[in-house]
Amino acid sequence: MDRLKLSRIDEELVSSEVAALCFLCRDVINRKRLEGIVDAKGLFLRLEEKGQLENDFFLSQLLQTIGRADLLNLLETDSRRPEETDANPVLSDYRVMLYRVYEDMTVENLDKMKFLLSDKLGKAKIEACNTALDVFAEMEQTGLLSNTNLHELHTMLLEFDQLLASTIQRYEEARLPRVPRSSMDSQRVNTFQPSQPSDAGASDASVVFSDAEPKISPLPDHTDYYSLSHNPRGLCVVINNENFFGAELKNRGGTLEDAKALRTVFTHLGFEVKVHDDLTAEKMLLVLEELGSRNFLDDDALVVCVLSHGEKGCVYGTDEKPVLLQYLSKPFTSGRAPTLAGKPKLFFIQACQGNDYQKGSLPCPPKPRQEEGDRQSRLEEDAGRVEGETVPWDADFLLGMSTVPGCKSFRSTATGSIYIQELCRQLMRSAESSEMDDVLTVLTRVNREVSKGEYLNYKQMPEPKYTLTKKLVLKFV
Protein backbone atom coordinates (compact mmCIF):
# COMPACT_ATOMS: atom_id res chain seq x y z
CA MET A 1 0.00 0.00 0.00
CA ASP A 2 1.13 3.55 -0.71
CA ARG A 3 3.22 4.74 2.25
CA LEU A 4 2.18 8.35 1.58
CA LYS A 5 -1.48 7.43 2.09
CA LEU A 6 -0.65 5.65 5.33
CA SER A 7 1.33 8.64 6.54
CA ARG A 8 -1.60 10.97 5.90
CA ILE A 9 -3.95 8.65 7.79
CA ASP A 10 -1.47 8.52 10.68
CA GLU A 11 -1.45 12.31 10.93
CA GLU A 12 -5.24 12.35 11.32
CA LEU A 13 -5.50 9.78 14.12
CA VAL A 14 -5.25 10.70 17.81
CA SER A 15 -3.73 8.39 20.43
CA SER A 16 -7.07 7.04 21.68
CA GLU A 17 -8.01 6.05 18.12
CA VAL A 18 -4.66 4.32 17.64
CA ALA A 19 -5.25 2.38 20.87
CA ALA A 20 -8.68 1.35 19.59
CA LEU A 21 -7.19 0.18 16.28
CA CYS A 22 -4.61 -1.88 18.17
CA PHE A 23 -7.37 -3.55 20.18
CA LEU A 24 -9.32 -4.37 17.02
CA CYS A 25 -6.20 -5.96 15.53
CA ARG A 26 -5.55 -8.34 18.43
CA ASP A 27 -6.93 -11.28 16.41
CA VAL A 28 -4.46 -10.56 13.61
CA ILE A 29 -1.36 -9.41 15.52
CA ASN A 30 -0.31 -11.07 18.76
CA ARG A 31 -0.23 -9.10 22.00
CA LYS A 32 3.55 -8.88 22.24
CA ARG A 33 3.88 -7.38 18.75
CA LEU A 34 1.33 -4.72 19.68
CA GLU A 35 3.25 -3.60 22.76
CA GLY A 36 4.98 -0.26 22.43
CA ILE A 37 2.93 1.01 19.48
CA VAL A 38 2.30 4.72 20.01
CA ASP A 39 1.14 5.84 16.57
CA ALA A 40 -0.66 4.48 13.55
CA LYS A 41 2.59 4.14 11.58
CA GLY A 42 3.79 1.51 14.05
CA LEU A 43 0.53 -0.41 13.68
CA PHE A 44 0.67 -0.19 9.89
CA LEU A 45 4.15 -1.73 9.94
CA ARG A 46 2.85 -4.67 12.00
CA LEU A 47 -0.09 -5.15 9.65
CA GLU A 48 2.26 -5.01 6.70
CA GLU A 49 4.38 -7.76 8.26
CA LYS A 50 1.26 -9.95 8.43
CA GLY A 51 0.35 -9.18 4.83
CA GLN A 52 -2.84 -7.34 5.78
CA LEU A 53 -2.16 -4.18 3.78
CA GLU A 54 -1.97 -5.85 0.39
CA ASN A 55 -5.40 -4.37 -0.28
CA ASP A 56 -7.46 -1.60 1.31
CA PHE A 57 -10.31 -3.70 2.65
CA PHE A 58 -9.06 -4.59 6.13
CA LEU A 59 -7.86 -1.06 6.88
CA SER A 60 -11.14 0.39 5.62
CA GLN A 61 -12.99 -1.90 8.04
CA LEU A 62 -10.86 -0.65 10.92
CA LEU A 63 -11.44 3.01 10.08
CA GLN A 64 -15.19 2.54 9.66
CA THR A 65 -15.42 0.75 13.02
CA ILE A 66 -13.77 3.58 14.97
CA GLY A 67 -15.94 6.17 13.22
CA ARG A 68 -13.29 7.60 10.91
CA ALA A 69 -15.02 6.95 7.59
CA ASP A 70 -13.84 10.41 6.59
CA LEU A 71 -10.37 8.91 6.00
CA LEU A 72 -11.63 6.34 3.50
CA ASN A 73 -11.23 8.79 0.64
CA LEU A 74 -7.47 8.59 1.22
CA LEU A 75 -7.65 4.85 0.52
CA GLU A 76 -9.69 5.19 -2.67
CA THR A 77 -11.37 1.88 -1.81
CA ASP A 78 -14.80 0.56 -2.70
CA SER A 79 -14.76 -1.28 0.67
CA ARG A 80 -16.26 -4.41 -0.85
CA ARG A 81 -15.90 -7.51 1.28
CA PRO A 82 -13.44 -10.00 -0.26
CA GLU A 83 -14.00 -13.72 -0.32
CA GLU A 84 -12.92 -15.46 2.87
CA THR A 85 -9.42 -16.83 2.45
CA ASP A 86 -6.42 -17.53 4.62
CA ALA A 87 -4.67 -14.44 3.24
CA ASN A 88 -7.48 -11.92 3.75
CA PRO A 89 -9.02 -12.05 7.24
CA VAL A 90 -11.97 -9.84 7.97
CA LEU A 91 -12.44 -7.87 11.15
CA SER A 92 -13.74 -10.04 13.97
CA ASP A 93 -17.42 -9.51 14.86
CA TYR A 94 -16.48 -10.35 18.43
CA ARG A 95 -13.93 -7.57 18.62
CA VAL A 96 -16.23 -5.06 16.94
CA MET A 97 -18.90 -5.93 19.52
CA LEU A 98 -16.47 -5.23 22.38
CA TYR A 99 -15.58 -1.92 20.76
CA ARG A 100 -19.28 -0.97 20.70
CA VAL A 101 -19.51 -1.72 24.43
CA TYR A 102 -16.44 0.48 25.00
CA GLU A 103 -17.99 3.32 22.95
CA ASP A 104 -21.18 3.31 25.02
CA MET A 105 -19.55 2.92 28.44
CA THR A 106 -19.55 5.93 30.73
CA VAL A 107 -16.73 6.81 33.10
CA GLU A 108 -18.96 5.83 36.01
CA ASN A 109 -19.66 2.40 34.56
CA LEU A 110 -15.98 1.91 33.81
CA ASP A 111 -15.19 2.52 37.46
CA LYS A 112 -17.89 0.01 38.48
CA MET A 113 -16.50 -2.60 36.12
CA LYS A 114 -12.97 -2.09 37.42
CA PHE A 115 -14.18 -2.43 41.01
CA LEU A 116 -16.02 -5.69 40.27
CA LEU A 117 -12.94 -7.14 38.58
CA SER A 118 -10.31 -5.94 41.06
CA ASP A 119 -10.28 -9.23 42.98
CA LYS A 120 -9.97 -11.30 39.78
CA LEU A 121 -7.45 -9.22 37.85
CA GLY A 122 -5.50 -7.77 40.74
CA LYS A 123 -5.33 -4.18 41.93
CA ALA A 124 -2.16 -3.28 40.02
CA LYS A 125 -3.52 -4.42 36.67
CA ILE A 126 -6.87 -2.73 37.24
CA GLU A 127 -5.26 0.58 38.14
CA ALA A 128 -3.20 0.47 34.94
CA CYS A 129 -6.40 0.23 32.84
CA ASN A 130 -7.47 3.62 31.52
CA THR A 131 -10.27 2.49 29.22
CA ALA A 132 -12.72 -0.36 28.87
CA LEU A 133 -10.57 -1.70 26.02
CA ASP A 134 -7.67 -2.00 28.46
CA VAL A 135 -9.92 -3.93 30.84
CA PHE A 136 -11.08 -6.25 28.06
CA ALA A 137 -7.47 -6.93 27.08
CA GLU A 138 -6.58 -7.89 30.67
CA MET A 139 -9.66 -10.11 30.92
CA GLU A 140 -8.60 -11.89 27.74
CA GLN A 141 -5.08 -12.42 29.05
CA THR A 142 -6.35 -14.02 32.26
CA GLY A 143 -8.93 -16.20 30.46
CA LEU A 144 -12.01 -14.34 31.71
CA LEU A 145 -13.03 -13.21 28.23
CA SER A 146 -12.83 -14.62 24.73
CA ASN A 147 -15.02 -15.10 21.69
CA THR A 148 -16.01 -18.44 23.25
CA ASN A 149 -16.58 -17.08 26.75
CA LEU A 150 -18.66 -13.93 27.22
CA HIS A 151 -20.44 -15.13 30.34
CA GLU A 152 -18.29 -13.22 32.86
CA LEU A 153 -18.56 -9.90 31.02
CA HIS A 154 -22.26 -10.27 30.30
CA THR A 155 -23.10 -11.13 33.91
CA MET A 156 -21.07 -8.18 35.16
CA LEU A 157 -22.68 -5.69 32.78
CA LEU A 158 -26.13 -6.84 33.87
CA GLU A 159 -25.23 -5.56 37.35
CA PHE A 160 -25.00 -1.91 36.31
CA ASP A 161 -26.03 -1.35 32.68
CA GLN A 162 -28.53 -3.62 30.95
CA LEU A 163 -28.21 -1.66 27.71
CA LEU A 164 -24.53 -2.60 27.46
CA ALA A 165 -25.40 -6.18 28.35
CA SER A 166 -27.93 -6.24 25.53
CA THR A 167 -25.13 -5.51 23.05
CA ILE A 168 -23.50 -8.79 24.04
CA GLN A 169 -26.84 -10.59 24.02
CA ARG A 170 -27.56 -9.44 20.45
CA TYR A 171 -24.11 -10.61 19.37
CA GLU A 172 -24.70 -14.02 20.93
CA GLU A 173 -28.07 -14.40 19.28
CA ALA A 174 -26.64 -13.45 15.89
CA ARG A 175 -23.78 -15.93 16.18
CA LEU A 176 -25.87 -18.80 17.52
CA PRO A 177 -29.10 -18.95 15.48
CA ARG A 178 -31.82 -21.11 16.93
CA VAL A 179 -32.67 -23.68 14.27
CA PRO A 180 -36.25 -25.01 14.43
CA ARG A 181 -36.39 -28.64 15.44
CA SER A 182 -37.30 -30.95 12.58
CA SER A 183 -36.88 -34.46 11.35
CA MET A 184 -33.14 -33.69 11.11
CA ASP A 185 -32.83 -34.88 14.71
CA SER A 186 -33.81 -38.38 13.69
CA GLN A 187 -31.17 -38.60 10.98
CA ARG A 188 -27.82 -40.26 11.48
CA VAL A 189 -24.56 -39.85 9.67
CA ASN A 190 -22.90 -42.61 7.66
CA THR A 191 -21.09 -45.46 9.34
CA PHE A 192 -17.34 -45.76 9.05
CA GLN A 193 -16.59 -47.73 5.88
CA PRO A 194 -13.03 -47.32 4.57
CA SER A 195 -11.88 -49.88 2.03
CA GLN A 196 -8.54 -50.04 3.85
CA PRO A 197 -7.51 -48.32 7.09
CA SER A 198 -4.84 -46.31 5.28
CA ASP A 199 -7.40 -45.01 2.76
CA ALA A 200 -9.28 -43.01 5.37
CA GLY A 201 -9.03 -39.30 4.57
CA ALA A 202 -7.42 -36.59 6.66
CA SER A 203 -9.37 -33.42 6.74
CA ASP A 204 -8.18 -29.10 6.47
CA ALA A 205 -16.55 -19.55 12.11
CA SER A 206 -16.89 -18.36 16.67
CA VAL A 207 -18.27 -20.12 19.74
CA VAL A 208 -20.57 -18.35 22.16
CA PHE A 209 -22.26 -18.96 25.49
CA SER A 210 -25.91 -18.55 26.28
CA ASP A 211 -26.86 -17.12 29.64
CA ALA A 212 -29.49 -19.80 30.18
CA GLU A 213 -28.58 -22.33 32.83
CA PRO A 214 -28.13 -25.81 31.35
CA LYS A 215 -31.00 -28.16 32.13
CA ILE A 216 -29.87 -31.75 32.21
CA SER A 217 -32.56 -34.42 32.11
CA PRO A 218 -31.95 -37.92 33.43
CA LEU A 219 -31.09 -40.47 30.78
CA PRO A 220 -34.17 -42.48 29.83
CA ASP A 221 -32.32 -45.78 29.44
CA HIS A 222 -28.74 -46.03 30.64
CA THR A 223 -28.06 -49.16 28.61
CA ASP A 224 -28.40 -47.10 25.41
CA TYR A 225 -25.94 -44.42 26.53
CA TYR A 226 -22.26 -44.28 27.32
CA SER A 227 -21.65 -43.72 31.02
CA LEU A 228 -20.25 -40.30 31.95
CA SER A 229 -19.80 -40.43 35.71
CA HIS A 230 -16.24 -39.24 36.37
CA ASN A 231 -15.04 -35.69 36.86
CA PRO A 232 -13.03 -34.95 34.85
CA ARG A 233 -14.62 -37.02 32.11
CA GLY A 234 -11.22 -37.77 30.63
CA LEU A 235 -8.58 -36.15 28.46
CA CYS A 236 -9.00 -33.90 25.44
CA VAL A 237 -5.68 -33.69 23.58
CA VAL A 238 -5.25 -31.02 20.91
CA ILE A 239 -2.36 -31.17 18.43
CA ASN A 240 -2.18 -27.67 16.97
CA ASN A 241 0.26 -27.27 14.08
CA GLU A 242 0.59 -23.64 13.04
CA ASN A 243 4.20 -23.07 11.96
CA PHE A 244 5.73 -25.31 9.27
CA PHE A 245 9.45 -25.17 8.56
CA GLY A 246 9.52 -26.87 5.17
CA ALA A 247 9.34 -25.24 1.77
CA GLU A 248 5.91 -26.48 0.64
CA LEU A 249 3.35 -25.79 3.38
CA LYS A 250 2.29 -22.34 4.54
CA ASN A 251 1.85 -21.44 8.20
CA ARG A 252 -1.73 -21.94 9.39
CA GLY A 253 -2.85 -18.53 10.60
CA GLY A 254 -6.04 -18.60 12.68
CA THR A 255 -5.47 -22.08 14.12
CA LEU A 256 -4.90 -20.59 17.59
CA GLU A 257 -8.57 -19.54 17.54
CA ASP A 258 -9.52 -23.16 16.94
CA ALA A 259 -7.30 -24.35 19.78
CA LYS A 260 -8.81 -21.75 22.13
CA ALA A 261 -12.35 -22.72 21.15
CA LEU A 262 -11.67 -26.42 21.69
CA ARG A 263 -10.06 -25.74 25.07
CA THR A 264 -13.05 -23.69 26.21
CA VAL A 265 -15.71 -26.09 24.99
CA PHE A 266 -14.19 -29.32 26.27
CA THR A 267 -13.21 -27.76 29.60
CA HIS A 268 -16.85 -26.87 30.15
CA LEU A 269 -17.85 -30.35 29.07
CA GLY A 270 -15.73 -31.70 31.92
CA PHE A 271 -12.55 -32.76 30.12
CA GLU A 272 -8.96 -32.04 31.09
CA VAL A 273 -7.55 -30.30 28.02
CA LYS A 274 -3.91 -30.54 26.92
CA VAL A 275 -2.66 -28.60 23.88
CA HIS A 276 0.52 -29.55 22.01
CA ASP A 277 1.74 -26.87 19.61
CA ASP A 278 3.81 -27.36 16.45
CA LEU A 279 4.72 -31.06 16.52
CA THR A 280 6.75 -32.87 13.88
CA ALA A 281 5.35 -36.12 12.52
CA GLU A 282 7.58 -38.12 14.86
CA LYS A 283 6.53 -36.10 17.90
CA MET A 284 2.86 -36.42 16.99
CA LEU A 285 3.18 -40.20 17.01
CA LEU A 286 5.21 -40.11 20.24
CA VAL A 287 2.59 -37.99 22.04
CA LEU A 288 -0.18 -40.38 20.97
CA GLU A 289 1.81 -43.50 21.87
CA GLU A 290 2.47 -42.10 25.35
CA LEU A 291 -1.18 -41.17 25.69
CA GLY A 292 -2.22 -44.69 24.67
CA SER A 293 -0.17 -46.17 27.53
CA ARG A 294 -2.21 -44.20 30.08
CA ASN A 295 -4.44 -46.01 32.57
CA PHE A 296 -7.93 -44.89 31.50
CA LEU A 297 -9.71 -46.70 34.33
CA ASP A 298 -10.96 -43.40 35.83
CA ASP A 299 -11.79 -41.86 32.44
CA ASP A 300 -15.16 -42.05 30.70
CA ALA A 301 -14.00 -40.97 27.25
CA LEU A 302 -11.09 -39.70 25.15
CA VAL A 303 -11.03 -36.78 22.72
CA VAL A 304 -8.19 -36.13 20.25
CA CYS A 305 -8.20 -33.08 17.95
CA VAL A 306 -5.63 -32.60 15.18
CA LEU A 307 -5.32 -29.20 13.51
CA SER A 308 -2.89 -29.27 10.60
CA HIS A 309 -2.40 -29.51 6.86
CA GLY A 310 -3.30 -32.79 5.23
CA GLU A 311 -3.86 -34.94 2.18
CA LYS A 312 -6.09 -37.94 1.63
CA GLY A 313 -5.29 -40.51 4.28
CA CYS A 314 -2.86 -38.40 6.32
CA VAL A 315 -2.10 -35.24 8.23
CA TYR A 316 1.24 -33.44 8.26
CA GLY A 317 3.70 -32.71 11.02
CA THR A 318 5.43 -29.34 11.07
CA ASP A 319 8.36 -30.97 9.26
CA GLU A 320 5.96 -31.66 6.34
CA LYS A 321 6.16 -35.43 6.88
CA PRO A 322 2.85 -37.33 6.74
CA VAL A 323 1.16 -39.24 9.54
CA LEU A 324 -1.42 -41.79 8.38
CA LEU A 325 -4.80 -41.51 10.05
CA GLN A 326 -4.73 -45.14 11.10
CA TYR A 327 -1.67 -44.37 13.21
CA LEU A 328 -3.55 -41.61 15.06
CA SER A 329 -6.16 -44.05 16.34
CA LYS A 330 -4.07 -47.22 16.56
CA PRO A 331 -2.75 -46.66 20.13
CA PHE A 332 -6.34 -46.49 21.45
CA THR A 333 -7.90 -49.69 20.13
CA SER A 334 -9.16 -52.08 22.76
CA GLY A 335 -6.18 -54.36 22.17
CA ARG A 336 -3.63 -51.58 22.77
CA ALA A 337 -5.53 -49.66 25.47
CA PRO A 338 -7.72 -52.19 27.33
CA THR A 339 -8.89 -49.65 29.93
CA LEU A 340 -10.52 -47.70 27.05
CA ALA A 341 -12.52 -50.70 25.86
CA GLY A 342 -16.22 -49.92 25.63
CA LYS A 343 -15.59 -46.19 26.06
CA PRO A 344 -16.11 -43.54 23.36
CA LYS A 345 -13.00 -42.28 21.56
CA LEU A 346 -13.61 -39.08 19.58
CA PHE A 347 -11.23 -37.82 16.90
CA PHE A 348 -11.74 -34.47 15.17
CA ILE A 349 -9.47 -33.71 12.21
CA GLN A 350 -9.13 -30.22 10.75
CA ALA A 351 -7.03 -30.59 7.61
CA CYS A 352 -7.46 -30.77 3.84
CA GLN A 353 -8.13 -34.16 2.26
CA GLY A 354 -6.91 -33.21 -1.19
CA ASN A 355 -6.74 -30.38 -3.71
CA ASP A 356 -10.24 -30.48 -5.19
CA TYR A 357 -12.95 -27.93 -4.46
CA GLN A 358 -16.55 -28.82 -3.76
CA LYS A 359 -19.38 -27.19 -5.66
CA GLY A 360 -23.08 -27.08 -4.92
CA SER A 361 -26.32 -27.63 -6.77
CA LEU A 362 -30.00 -27.14 -6.11
CA PRO A 363 -31.69 -29.84 -4.02
CA CYS A 364 -33.27 -32.64 -6.03
CA PRO A 365 -37.10 -32.64 -5.91
CA PRO A 366 -38.63 -35.58 -4.02
CA LYS A 367 -39.25 -38.74 -6.04
CA PRO A 368 -42.73 -40.23 -6.38
CA ARG A 369 -43.66 -42.57 -3.57
CA GLN A 370 -42.38 -46.08 -4.18
CA GLU A 371 -44.16 -49.29 -3.48
CA GLU A 372 -42.78 -51.49 -0.71
CA GLY A 373 -41.31 -53.99 -3.16
CA ASP A 374 -39.45 -51.27 -5.07
CA ARG A 375 -37.94 -49.86 -1.87
CA GLN A 376 -36.77 -53.27 -0.74
CA SER A 377 -35.18 -53.93 -4.14
CA ARG A 378 -33.29 -50.66 -3.98
CA LEU A 379 -32.02 -51.37 -0.47
CA GLU A 380 -30.74 -54.74 -1.51
CA GLU A 381 -28.93 -53.24 -4.47
CA ASP A 382 -27.15 -50.70 -2.25
CA ALA A 383 -26.19 -53.37 0.26
CA GLY A 384 -24.88 -55.63 -2.46
CA ARG A 385 -22.65 -52.92 -3.85
CA VAL A 386 -20.62 -52.54 -0.66
CA GLU A 387 -20.64 -56.13 0.57
CA GLY A 388 -17.10 -57.41 1.12
CA GLU A 389 -15.55 -53.95 0.52
CA THR A 390 -15.53 -52.64 4.08
CA VAL A 391 -13.10 -53.33 6.89
CA PRO A 392 -14.68 -52.53 10.29
CA TRP A 393 -12.75 -50.20 12.57
CA ASP A 394 -12.48 -51.13 16.25
CA ALA A 395 -15.60 -50.36 18.26
CA ASP A 396 -16.53 -47.09 19.98
CA PHE A 397 -14.63 -44.69 17.71
CA LEU A 398 -15.93 -41.51 16.14
CA LEU A 399 -13.96 -39.67 13.46
CA GLY A 400 -15.10 -36.16 12.60
CA MET A 401 -13.51 -34.95 9.36
CA SER A 402 -13.63 -31.32 8.28
CA THR A 403 -14.28 -32.31 4.65
CA VAL A 404 -14.88 -35.29 2.39
CA PRO A 405 -11.99 -37.20 0.75
CA GLY A 406 -10.16 -35.44 -2.06
CA CYS A 407 -11.34 -31.93 -1.18
CA LYS A 408 -10.08 -28.83 0.58
CA SER A 409 -11.52 -27.24 3.71
CA PHE A 410 -11.42 -23.58 4.63
CA ARG A 411 -9.91 -21.57 7.45
CA SER A 412 -9.94 -17.85 8.26
CA THR A 413 -6.69 -16.46 9.65
CA ALA A 414 -8.74 -14.17 11.90
CA THR A 415 -11.48 -16.41 13.29
CA GLY A 416 -10.30 -19.98 12.77
CA SER A 417 -11.54 -22.82 10.59
CA ILE A 418 -15.11 -23.14 9.38
CA TYR A 419 -15.47 -26.71 10.67
CA ILE A 420 -13.92 -26.45 14.15
CA GLN A 421 -15.71 -23.21 14.97
CA GLU A 422 -19.08 -24.66 13.92
CA LEU A 423 -18.33 -27.89 15.79
CA CYS A 424 -17.62 -25.97 18.99
CA ARG A 425 -20.68 -23.79 18.54
CA GLN A 426 -22.99 -26.78 18.11
CA LEU A 427 -21.42 -28.68 21.03
CA MET A 428 -22.07 -25.66 23.26
CA ARG A 429 -25.61 -25.31 21.99
CA SER A 430 -26.36 -28.96 22.68
CA ALA A 431 -24.70 -28.89 26.11
CA GLU A 432 -26.86 -26.02 27.34
CA SER A 433 -30.08 -27.41 25.84
CA SER A 434 -32.67 -29.35 27.83
CA GLU A 435 -32.80 -31.87 24.99
CA MET A 436 -30.74 -35.07 25.16
CA ASP A 437 -29.18 -34.79 21.72
CA ASP A 438 -26.35 -37.22 21.16
CA VAL A 439 -23.06 -36.36 19.46
CA LEU A 440 -24.21 -37.78 16.09
CA THR A 441 -27.15 -35.38 16.09
CA VAL A 442 -24.72 -32.57 16.87
CA LEU A 443 -22.48 -33.55 13.97
CA THR A 444 -25.47 -33.70 11.64
CA ARG A 445 -26.17 -30.07 12.55
CA VAL A 446 -22.53 -29.23 11.92
CA ASN A 447 -22.84 -30.79 8.46
CA ARG A 448 -25.96 -28.78 7.75
CA GLU A 449 -24.60 -25.42 8.87
CA VAL A 450 -21.18 -25.76 7.19
CA SER A 451 -22.75 -26.96 3.94
CA LYS A 452 -24.95 -23.84 3.79
CA GLY A 453 -21.98 -21.50 3.40
CA GLU A 454 -19.93 -20.53 0.37
CA TYR A 455 -16.19 -20.08 0.71
CA LEU A 456 -14.29 -18.57 -2.22
CA ASN A 457 -17.43 -19.48 -4.22
CA TYR A 458 -17.01 -23.14 -3.23
CA LYS A 459 -18.73 -25.40 -0.72
CA GLN A 460 -17.48 -27.50 2.17
CA MET A 461 -19.01 -30.73 3.44
CA PRO A 462 -17.74 -32.30 6.68
CA GLU A 463 -17.82 -36.07 7.05
CA PRO A 464 -18.41 -37.88 10.34
CA LYS A 465 -17.62 -41.61 10.50
CA TYR A 466 -18.21 -43.82 13.49
CA THR A 467 -18.34 -47.23 15.10
CA LEU A 468 -20.03 -46.03 18.28
CA THR A 469 -22.18 -48.71 19.92
CA LYS A 470 -24.19 -46.40 22.17
CA LYS A 471 -25.40 -42.81 22.24
CA LEU A 472 -23.02 -40.18 23.62
CA VAL A 473 -24.57 -37.09 25.21
CA LEU A 474 -22.17 -34.31 26.27
CA LYS A 475 -23.42 -31.81 28.85
CA PHE A 476 -21.78 -29.15 31.00
CA VAL A 477 -20.08 -30.33 34.19
Side-chain angles (χ1 to χ4, degrees):
M1 186 179 292
D2 190 338
R3 291 294 180 92
L4 182 58
K5 291 181 183 179
L6 296 178
S7 179
R8 289 175 179 171
I9 294 174
D10 170 69
E11 292 173 357
E12 295 291 332
L13 295 171
V14 299
S15 59
S16 60
E17 291 172 328
V18 173
L21 290 175
C22 288
F23 178 82
L24 291 170
C25 288
R26 284 172 64 89
D27 294 324
V28 178
I29 305 170
N30 64 48
R31 179 187 178 100
K32 187 174 182 180
R33 296 293 288 164
L34 288 171
E35 290 178 355
I37 291 179
V38 296
D39 56 28
K41 291 196 294 290
L43 177 60
F44 294 155
L45 288 174
R46 297 291 184 266
L47 287 172
E48 197 171 50
E49 291 172 358
K50 304 292 285 187
Q52 306 313 326
L53 295 184
E54 294 177 1
N55 58 59
D56 297 341
F57 180 77
F58 189 67
L59 183 54
S60 69
Q61 279 192 306
L62 291 172
L63 294 175
Q64 287 176 340
T65 301
I66 66 170
R68 292 306 306 269
D70 59 304
L71 299 179
L72 294 180
N73 63 320
L74 295 176
L75 293 177
E76 298 178 356
T77 179
D78 59 8
S79 71
R80 288 178 296 181
R81 185 184 184 96
E83 296 290 350
E84 182 173 6
T85 68
D86 284 350
N88 294 303
V90 294
L91 193 56
S92 162
D93 291 338
Y94 156 74
R95 209 150 291 280
V96 172
M97 178 273 297
L98 291 180
Y99 181 81
R100 298 304 177 212
V101 174
Y102 151 76
E103 276 190 313
D104 295 336
M105 186 171 291
T106 64
V107 174
E108 181 183 0
N109 283 341
L110 174 61
D111 288 340
K112 291 178 180 178
M113 182 169 66
K114 292 169 67 173
F115 174 76
L116 292 173
L117 287 169
S118 58
D119 60 331
K120 296 180 179 179
L121 296 181
K123 187 175 180 181
K125 287 185 177 181
I126 280 293
E127 289 180 349
C129 294
N130 297 317
T131 68
L133 296 182
D134 295 333
V135 176
F136 297 155
E138 290 297 337
M139 290 179 69
E140 287 180 325
Q141 188 176 17
T142 56
L144 293 175
L145 176 66
S146 71
N147 65 337
T148 66
N149 182 10
L150 292 163
H151 182 75
E152 182 78 27
L153 179 60
H154 185 257
T155 302
M156 181 171 53
L157 292 179
L158 284 172
E159 293 291 329
F160 56 81
D161 194 322
Q162 293 198 6
L163 185 60
L164 291 179
S166 69
T167 301
I168 295 178
Q169 186 64 38
R170 287 194 301 272
Y171 165 81
E172 290 183 323
E173 291 171 354
R175 298 301 296 269
L176 188 59
R178 295 296 175 182
V179 182
R181 297 189 62 79
S182 67
S183 60
M184 181 65 70
D185 287 353
S186 65
Q187 298 176 12
R188 285 297 179 267
V189 293
N190 58 295
T191 55
F192 183 42
Q193 297 177 336
S195 58
Q196 294 293 336
S198 60
D199 287 339
S203 358
D204 205 55
S206 293
V207 187
V208 293
F209 281 99
S210 166
D211 293 306
E213 290 295 325
K215 300 177 182 178
I216 303 177
S217 305
L219 295 177
D221 184 352
H222 290 284
T223 61
D224 288 339
Y225 292 81
Y226 286 107
S227 173
L228 297 177
S229 57
H230 292 89
N231 191 8
R233 300 293 193 221
L235 285 179
C236 171
V237 176
V238 180
I239 296 177
N240 178 40
N241 288 344
E242 178 181 16
N243 302 298
F244 292 76
F245 52 83
E248 298 295 327
L249 300 177
K250 293 171 56 178
N251 291 344
R252 300 180 62 257
T255 189
L256 291 178
E257 294 303 312
D258 287 345
K260 289 177 185 176
L262 290 167
R263 180 187 290 276
T264 298
V265 169
F266 281 100
T267 297
H268 282 83
L269 293 176
F271 287 82
E272 179 186 349
V273 180
K274 295 183 178 181
V275 179
H276 299 271
D277 293 319
D278 294 338
L279 300 185
T280 64
E282 182 180 0
K283 288 184 178 178
M284 289 172 66
L285 292 172
L286 180 61
V287 165
L288 294 175
E289 286 290 342
E290 291 179 349
L291 178 60
S293 65
R294 171 186 172 92
N295 185 346
F296 294 96
L297 194 61
D298 293 326
D299 294 355
D300 296 319
L302 172 69
V303 179
V304 176
C305 307
V306 180
L307 316 174
S308 191
H309 287 297
E311 286 288 346
K312 185 177 180 181
C314 72
V315 291
Y316 287 109
T318 55
D319 55 354
E320 300 190 352
K321 293 181 179 180
V323 177
L324 297 180
L325 280 194
Q326 61 179 331
Y327 293 151
L328 297 181
S329 59
K330 190 175 181 179
F332 309 105
T333 60
S334 57
R336 297 281 298 274
T339 54
L340 265 180
K343 300 177 181 180
K345 297 162 277 283
L346 313 182
F347 287 73
F348 298 105
I349 311 297
Q350 168 59 39
C352 284
Q353 285 199 68
N355 295 316
D356 292 338
Y357 291 96
Q358 291 176 279
K359 295 186 178 181
S361 60
L362 293 175
C364 180
K367 293 183 179 181
R369 186 178 183 275
Q370 293 178 314
E371 296 298 326
E372 182 64 30
D374 293 336
R375 288 199 301 269
Q376 183 64 32
S377 174
R378 178 63 177 173
L379 287 173
E380 290 176 350
E381 178 185 351
D382 286 342
R385 186 182 306 135
V386 298
E387 185 176 0
E389 295 178 355
T390 61
V391 177
W393 211 19
D394 207 353
D396 306 301
F397 278 88
L398 183 145
L399 181 63
M401 316 295 290
S402 66
T403 187
V404 296
C407 292
K408 290 180 176 291
S409 61
F410 294 88
R411 167 176 40 85
S412 166
T413 58
T415 58
S417 66
I418 305 301
Y419 173 68
I420 292 296
Q421 293 295 321
E422 189 62 42
L423 171 68
C424 292
R425 181 158 51 246
Q426 294 298 336
L427 285 171
M428 295 297 283
R429 174 188 173 186
S430 175
E432 64 193 8
S433 169
S434 60
E435 301 294 332
M436 297 300 292
D437 292 333
D438 70 327
V439 70
L440 299 183
T441 299
V442 173
L443 290 178
T444 301
R445 292 197 185 108
V446 173
N447 280 7
R448 181 176 60 210
E449 295 303 315
V450 172
S451 66
K452 286 179 181 178
E454 286 196 3
Y455 319 102
L456 284 174
N457 295 321
Y458 295 104
K459 307 292 284 185
Q460 179 174 332
M461 187 69 239
E463 184 183 30
K465 308 174 184 181
Y466 68 93
T467 58
L468 298 179
T469 58
K470 298 180 181 180
K471 295 180 180 180
L472 176 63
V473 176
L474 298 173
K475 294 292 184 180
F476 291 139
V477 174

